[in-house]
Amino acid sequence: MHDMTRCVVKPDVREEGFASLTTPVHRATTIVFDTAEAFASRGERGLDGYSYGLHGTPTTRALEARINALEGGFHTFLAPSGQAANAFAMLAVLKPGQKVLITESCYPPVRDFALQDLARQSITVDFFDPLSLQDLEARLTPETGLVWCESPGSTTMEVQDIPAIAALAHRSGALVACDNTWATPLLFKPLAHGADIVTEALTKYFSGTSDILMGSISVREPALAHALRSQFGRYGVGVSPDDASHILRSMESMPLRLAHAGRVAQELAARFAADDLVEAVLLPSRAECPGHDVWQRDFAGVSGLFSVLFRPQAVAHVAPALDGLSTFAIGASWGGSRSLMAPQPIREDRTSPRWQHTRSALRISTGLEDPRDLMADVDALLERIRERAGG
């Protein structure tokens, strides 16, 4: 073998005896085969087989397997973001002429995707009251192919009765999908409660550091898995093994991070609720939160995301008062190490008579800072709002 060839050909390095606790990062585009016959039959390698780097490496397969074990699914797929997971889950199961029913409390980009993109494919889009089984049942038709849930809603925090929704949908011949990003499978397992598909924004608690975009889709049945695998291939969608490695590492601390965030969120929620500037605090563990009884029945705890609704006289003063925050940062998303606050408009995304609030919510995500610093920042925020509101 000549030197030019030696520079290119991979040496045969023994791996026996190298038992690492961490998953190696496998980067690849081209996958090589021992024989021409093996290459010709590469499409028969199944969901976990390797044929081209876009379709998975041992690193991404390890992350899929770890998430799938938590979700209790048949198979899990990785997507470039949480919203990509939502979009591809819908595209995989809906056909022209069918109808999708979406909870009004959904992540706003889901609403936009359905109205802009699914509608162009001759898919009828309708929205249902997240807390009304009667409203859902009235909107179900023989054409309904999918009922889309998000429980709790990422701003208004309604906890949906997934087992009851699944029973209604399945009786009508529709599938059920649930965006489970608020809870993660550590706090709620939609597949075990009747859903057929569950999506997660791994960007949030799975990553934990606000610097990785990724999503996942887990399914309960083989037919759904094969439909998704084919679709991902046709669209040329894959994820970085380096990003997958980051999330594999972060998952090891996710139970501890999530427990801390949930505990601090409840402390801060109680502080907001005790203030006369506040009209309502939306956190599922609180009795006044819509769907609290379902949360008690089905969930294992709370995460660090909740919302605050201020009284009319205070609303105009909330946004400018945020400029004085010292520990919290102003920003979207949640689940990272840094605590966040951001005003969120709601009314324009709601049509059911149940939602009467016309004002924005202040959405709060607790991170990993010392709770005493966060509480001091909340105290100072409320004082600034009070001073602006005139006492």
Side-chain angles (χ1 to χ4, degrees):
M1 185 182 292
H2 296 88
D3 286 351
M4 287 181 67
T5 305
R6 289 192 179 99
C7 288
V8 174
V9 175
K10 184 176 70 172
D12 184 15
V13 177
R14 289 178 56 250
E15 296 183 6
E16 296 86 1
F18 183 77
S20 173
L21 284 173
T22 61
T23 303
V25 179
H26 293 270
R27 303 182 191 91
T29 54
T30 299
I31 308 297
V32 296
F33 300 81
D34 292 335
T35 66
E37 182 181 355
F39 176 77
S41 62
R42 64 193 183 281
E44 302 171 11
R45 289 188 164 192
L47 292 171
D48 290 321
Y50 301 106
S51 59
Y52 190 67
L54 177 70
H55 310 310
T57 74
T59 308
T60 58
R61 290 282 186 271
L63 179 56
E64 289 173 345
R66 189 176 289 182
I67 295 170
N68 198 62
L70 288 175
E71 301 282 10
F74 173 78
H75 199 84
T76 291
F77 300 90
L78 303 177
S81 69
Q83 175 58 9
N86 295 336
F88 278 101
M90 291 188 180
L91 288 170
V93 301
L94 289 168
K95 301 175 182 177
Q98 287 189 313
K99 176 179 179 179
V100 59
L101 276 174
I102 303 174
T103 176
E104 278 198 342
S105 57
C106 69
Y107 180 50
V110 167
R111 173 184 289 268
D112 193 41
F113 169 75
L115 293 174
Q116 297 297 324
D117 298 285
L118 293 182
R120 277 205 304 269
Q121 299 183 38
S122 300
I123 295 168
T124 301
V125 180
D126 196 8
F127 298 90
F128 67 95
D129 184 331
L131 296 175
S132 174
L133 295 172
Q134 293 75 19
D135 186 49
L136 171 64
E137 188 170 22
R139 296 174 188 273
L140 282 166
T141 66
E143 293 73 36
T144 305
L146 180 67
V147 175
W148 186 269
C149 303
E150 181 177 338
S151 182
S154 62
T155 296
T156 50
M157 297 292 149
E158 296 96 336
V159 182
Q160 296 185 273
D161 192 337
I162 300 300
I165 289 172
L168 282 175
H170 291 158
R171 195 179 309 145
S172 183
L175 296 170
V176 175
C178 182
D179 182 336
N180 193 48
T181 301
W182 182 91
T184 81
L186 294 176
L187 302 181
F188 182 60
K189 299 183 189 297
L191 298 181
H193 288 80
D196 304 285
I197 303 167
V198 57
T199 62
E200 307 276 358
L202 307 182
T203 307
K204 310 295 199 286
Y205 288 112
F206 281 82
S207 167
T209 49
S210 303
D211 58 359
I212 298 291
L213 287 166
M214 198 177 295
S216 67
I217 308 171
S218 300
V219 297
R220 195 166 57 171
E221 300 295 337
L224 290 173
H226 289 288
L228 275 161
R229 171 63 75 214
S230 298
Q231 178 186 253
F232 273 98
R234 291 192 302 272
Y235 278 83
V237 173
V239 301
S240 160
D242 294 272
D243 289 350
S245 175
H246 172 104
I247 294 177
L248 281 165
R249 294 196 307 270
S250 292
M251 280 184 69
E252 296 178 7
S253 65
M254 185 168 70
L256 300 178
R257 291 184 283 106
L258 191 61
H260 174 86
R263 183 172 61 253
V264 175
Q266 293 185 87
E267 294 173 4
L268 297 182
R271 170 64 184 93
F272 276 105
D275 199 286
D276 57 10
L277 293 171
V278 172
E279 183 174 293
V281 175
L282 304 176
L283 179 66
S285 59
R286 298 185 63 82
E288 65 270 25
C289 189
H292 169 73
D293 55 337
V294 176
W295 173 83
Q296 280 189 309
R297 185 193 70 193
D298 293 344
F299 284 67
V302 292
S303 72
L305 187 74
F306 67 99
S307 295
V308 176
L309 297 171
F310 285 87
R311 297 191 185 280
Q313 67 271 23
V315 171
H317 308 289
V318 174
L322 295 178
D323 295 348
L325 291 171
S326 60
T327 304
F328 283 90
I330 302 172
S333 197
W334 69 88
S337 57
R338 186 73 184 272
S339 293
L340 301 171
M341 289 189 184
Q344 300 282 342
I346 300 170
R347 179 69 261 182
E348 54 263 40
D349 293 329
R350 306 305 294 268
T351 56
S352 70
R354 184 187 299 275
W355 186 260
Q356 298 297 319
H357 299 281
T358 59
R359 304 179 295 283
S360 295
L362 179 63
R363 198 173 71 176
I364 298 167
S365 167
T366 55
L368 301 181
E369 304 93 341
D370 191 301
R372 292 168 294 185
D373 293 323
L374 296 175
M375 189 67 77
D377 217 10
V378 168
D379 289 340
L381 170 69
L382 291 169
E383 187 56 34
R384 287 194 299 275
I385 297 172
R386 183 170 287 103
E387 290 173 357
R388 289 174 174 273

